[in-house]
Amino acid sequence: MGFHRVFKNPNLVILWVSQLFSAIGDHLYVVAITWIAIKELGASAAYVIGAGTFSALFFGILGGIYADRWNRHRTMILTDILRALFVGLLPLIEWYSTLNVWHLVIISVIVSGLGTFFNPSLQASLPSLCRDSEILQQTNALMDTTHRLARIFGPGLTGAFLAFMPLPHFFTLDAVTFILSAIALVFIRKAFIQMNDMNEIKHVQKSPMIDFKIAISLLKNHKVLLWALISLGMVNLCWSAVYMVGVPLFTERILKESAGAFGLIGGAYGIGNLLSLFAVGTLKRSILFMYAGHVILGAGFFVIASAESLSVALMGAVIAAFGSPMGDIMLLTMIQTDFPETHIGKIYSFRALIGGLGLAMGTFIASFAYKIASIPSIMIIFSMMIIAVGAIGIFRIRMISSLHIKNAS
């Protein structure tokens, strides 16, 4: 079963195209905000970038709670409009005055915070928008291609746009893509009517803390998902240490290559992601594939860390990238199918929070780890940790399945 069944649903096609443009706009936004911050602050630009990450972590759970309490369709449209307005302020400020770092920090915090309301609303809406639960996994895989395609085509688009427009207008393009997303959501509004009727639940007298406690209770009772989320945090920690910090260091200092070579590795990683997404669409729904993906991811990173040439590193990047989406899609599909629709947003936000904390901790730990040991050895250690998490997960799932079979007999 491939993507062709998803493309038969015009509402999903419109939604996917709009999110693809939005993802490309997000890439241009990141390029602009990062480059301007680096020119102003140098290495301290990490604080500007980190402001958005901190905002996403801070508002993450709250965004999921209100994604389940509010009308999701209106929430997504409103957040798109607000993000367009705030991002659109940046080129206006540059036009009339001078764009300062504190402008970037404030807008980054606001835009990232608004994203924590949009993303869980989108993910919680997909089961109803699909109408057919059998194509939900393929829909998740297709939606996941948006940011991965932006990662592949983004560098080329960046160069093309810079040839005829100043960097601050990357913010203008991003604002336009948010408006396009809002228009697309208005256009397919009828697909949300039945779902919104179901979600109009009386939350007025309920404290958000009650929703938080409900989400915690649901997670505690779902042992498989709870372990999967813990595994996600651990794998993300190792992923950021290897890919975000280790790979660029390895490319420059071990392979003695340029930034262009690092870009090639990123492109190879994106290609591996896309190949995996097409494969995931044909797999049966099983959390075992998530842990198998962890093993493949770790093995690919091990190949990169052991590489003596760029070609071998590129091969390792493709292998690693093939394992990454397997975990993301299987975990997301589990959240969407194993929980009531009125709680999907909250559970998704917990997934985003745990994954984001893992990424932040991995970057922090790596900044010290690569100073006390060789780059390849640290990369290999983190790669083996990923493989271990996957192997332990496979063992646990098989044990649980065996117990269920024995109890049934």
Side-chain angles (χ1 to χ4, degrees), residues 172-367:
T172 306
L173 291 175
D174 190 31
V176 170
T177 63
F178 283 132
I179 294 298
L180 291 176
S181 175
I183 292 172
L185 288 166
V186 171
F187 192 78
I188 63 174
R189 63 188 181 280
K190 291 183 179 180
F192 286 82
I193 291 176
Q194 181 181 2
M195 179 183 62
N196 288 332
D197 291 341
M198 294 170 58
N199 287 340
E200 290 296 337
I201 299 172
K202 295 180 180 179
H203 284 295
V204 178
Q205 297 179 349
K206 288 177 61 177
S207 166
M209 184 57 65
I210 295 176
D211 284 333
F212 179 80
K213 292 178 179 178
I214 290 173
I216 294 292
S217 177
L218 289 171
L219 283 174
K220 285 183 178 179
N221 292 329
H222 200 304
K223 302 298 183 184
V224 174
L225 178 63
L226 184 60
W227 176 253
L229 290 177
I230 294 172
S231 302
L232 172 69
M234 296 173 66
V235 169
N236 276 12
L237 185 153
C238 298
W239 183 91
S240 64
V242 175
Y243 188 78
M244 296 179 67
V245 183
V247 170
L249 288 173
F250 186 86
T251 304
E252 180 189 22
R253 300 182 185 179
I254 305 301
L255 296 180
K256 307 297 183 183
E257 297 283 354
S258 65
F262 176 61
L264 288 176
I265 293 175
Y269 197 90
I271 291 171
N273 279 167
L274 288 180
L275 293 175
S276 177
L277 288 169
F278 283 107
V280 168
T282 64
L283 296 175
K284 68 177 184 178
R285 197 173 303 169
S286 173
I287 199 65
L288 269 175
F289 290 113
M290 170 182 170
Y291 294 112
H294 293 341
V295 173
I296 296 171
L297 175 67
F301 282 156
F302 186 91
V303 172
I304 296 176
S306 307
E308 296 182 355
S309 65
L310 178 60
S311 59
V312 175
L314 292 173
M315 181 179 67
V318 173
I319 295 171
F322 191 86
S324 183
M326 294 174 68
D328 295 338
I329 303 306
M330 293 299 172
L331 184 56
L332 181 55
T333 304
M334 174 184 286
I335 292 173
Q336 293 168 331
T337 55
D338 287 8
F339 294 92
E341 188 175 335
T342 52
H343 298 302
I344 292 175
K346 292 185 285 291
I347 304 300
Y348 174 82
S349 291
F350 270 97
R351 170 199 174 276
L353 175 64
I354 294 172
L357 285 173
L359 293 174
M361 290 176 61
T363 305
F364 177 76
I365 293 171
S367 64

Side-chain angles (χ1 to χ4, degrees), residues 103-151:
H103 295 133
L104 302 179
V105 172
I106 292 175
I107 298 299
S108 179
V109 168
I110 294 173
V111 170
S112 296
L114 289 169
T116 64
F117 292 85
F118 182 92
N119 295 329
S121 296
L122 172 63
Q123 298 302 330
S125 299
L126 291 181
S128 294
L129 288 173
C130 288
R131 297 182 181 177
D132 182 354
S133 61
E134 292 185 359
I135 67 169
L136 179 59
Q137 185 168 302
Q138 289 76 29
T139 303
N140 286 327
L142 186 65
M143 290 298 173
D144 196 66
T145 64
T146 57
H147 287 284
R148 301 184 195 277
L149 284 171
R151 182 186 297 168

